[in-house]
Amino acid sequence: MARPGHSAWFLLVSTATLLLASGASAQGSCANATFPAGRSFARCSTLPVLGASLYWNYHAANGTAELAFRAPSATGGWVAWGINTDGTGMAGSSVFVASQSANGAVSVLMTVLESFSPSLKNGTLKFDVPVGPSAEYGGGTYTMYATVALPGNATQQNTVWQAGPLSGGAVSPHPMSGNNLKSVLRLDFLSG
Ligand SMILES: *[C@@H]1O[C@H](CO)[C@@H](O)[C@H](O)[C@H]1NC(C)=O
Ligand SMILES: *[C@@H]1O[C@H](CO)[C@@H](O)[C@H](O)[C@H]1NC(C)=O
Ligand SMILES: *[C@@H]1O[C@H](CO)[C@@H](O)[C@H](O)[C@H]1NC(C)=O
Ligand SMILES: *[C@@H]1O[C@H](CO)[C@@H](O)[C@H](O)[C@H]1NC(C)=O
């Protein structure tokens, strides 16, 4: 995958209004989502922007959550979801980024967004990922899966998500206005 340019390209949120996901979200449009055989999720949250939803099973005994993140995209686009262990917004976030090649092969990279001009180096995150990521694309929608150890064994986390275009197969900057700057949520993994 080619490296992105050095412009600020990802999620830039300086004064984000953090919302706490409410228990009511399970009654929203995420509730009836279907998944391939062998995957099911007890909780979900319809995220406030970008048409995205998060689904999970939270295991208090070991502090892990099995996740599915689902968001619409053109074939020539990428989607991302992650947790910011250091604050809010883009910088410092540990993210999963799903994209696809011209032949439709979907892959996921894990990276820490070290700045607003991140290297997108495929590596490790600031929390454990006991079950590494995978993703699928169909019907104009990406679905990414992974199991994460919630940082600090805390059920409330600053989550981020994003969507943008691919250019020559490489992740390119997302729009720097509108809903792309509102895609942050302090999520309670005990809700949904
Ligand atoms: C989910 O499906 C049930 C049963 O078909 C239906 O009653 C309910 O309205 C649906 N909920 C949503 C959010 O679509
Ligand atoms: C996480 O916290 C729960 C209590 O909420 C506790 O029962 C559990 O042992 C902790 N797990 C880890 C891995 O620290
Ligand atoms: C990132 O590395 C993992 C593990 O080697 C690999 O499975 C995955 O396809 C890589 N992601 C990308 C986008 O290259
Ligand atoms: C965490 O606990 C759940 C429930 O017991 C189990 O299904 C899952 O495999 C465990 N995950 C890890 C990474 O140990």
Side-chain angles (χ1 to χ4, degrees):
M1 171 179 287
R3 293 287 165 82
H6 287 282
S7 57
W9 61 278
F10 205 88
L11 175 64
L12 176 58
V13 178
S14 51
T15 53
T17 302
L18 296 179
L19 306 171
L20 196 61
S22 77
S25 57
Q27 306 307 312
S29 57
C30 67
N32 285 357
T34 59
F35 293 92
R39 296 193 191 270
S40 63
F41 301 93
R43 301 168 188 270
C44 72
S45 177
T46 302
L47 301 176
V49 293
L50 304 180
S53 298
L54 189 72
Y55 309 83
W56 67 93
N57 298 313
Y58 171 65
H59 303 295
N62 55 22
T64 65
E66 297 150 13
L67 304 173
F69 171 77
R70 184 167 274 176
S73 171
T75 55
W78 56 267
V79 302
W81 180 90
I83 293 174
N84 193 333
T85 55
D86 298 357
T88 58
M90 169 187 173
S93 292
S94 293
V95 299
F96 301 94
V97 185
S99 61
Q100 60 189 297
S101 58
N103 69 6
V106 176
S107 61
V108 184
L109 75 82
M110 300 195 299
T111 192
V112 176
L113 302 170
E114 59 278 84
S115 72
F116 293 112
S117 299
S119 65
L120 295 182
K121 187 174 186 296
N122 191 9
T124 57
L125 303 183
K126 292 188 177 181
F127 45 82
D128 287 337
V129 182
V131 181
S134 62
E136 60 206 21
Y137 181 84
T141 301
Y142 280 106
T143 305
M144 283 198 289
Y145 305 98
T147 298
V148 304
L150 294 179
N153 194 18
T155 59
Q156 292 188 13
Q157 301 288 343
N158 293 326
T159 67
V160 296
W161 64 100
Q162 197 50 268
L166 296 167
S167 177
V171 171
S172 290
H174 66 75
M176 293 299 291
S177 61
N179 286 339
N180 292 86
L181 299 187
K182 298 175 183 166
S183 47
V184 297
L185 177 72
R186 185 159 177 83
L187 182 75
D188 186 345
F189 283 85
L190 293 178
S191 75

